[in-house]
Amino acid sequence: MAISLSVVLLLAIVLVVLIRSGSIKPGPAIVAALFGFFLASTGMAPPIERFMNSIAETINQISF
């Protein structure tokens, strides 16, 4: 839960920065957000979540 909330917050910040810098217009940003929203309700959501969790675990295991 904490990881998914952090990823959502990070992606929201990136989206706002992209819109404010003019790199992406609000229309395509809304379409991308809606795509993600509807993708989360499909059968692809569990594999994507497992993939993101494995990436987070791999990053967490890297020792500096």
Side-chain angles (χ1 to χ4, degrees):
M1 175 66 178
I3 293 174
S4 63
L5 184 61
S6 299
V7 171
V8 168
L9 184 61
L10 176 67
L11 291 176
I13 291 170
V14 169
L15 188 59
V16 168
V17 168
L18 288 174
I19 290 172
R20 290 184 58 97
S21 70
S23 298
I24 188 171
K25 302 270 187 238
I30 291 171
V31 170
L34 287 173
F35 174 73
F37 177 77
F38 287 112
L39 183 64
S41 65
T42 67
M44 286 298 296
I48 293 170
E49 187 172 355
R50 282 193 299 269
F51 175 70
M52 294 304 293
N53 285 337
S54 68
I55 289 175
E57 289 174 11
T58 302
I59 291 171
N60 192 28
Q61 291 176 358
I62 296 175
S63 59
F64 292 99

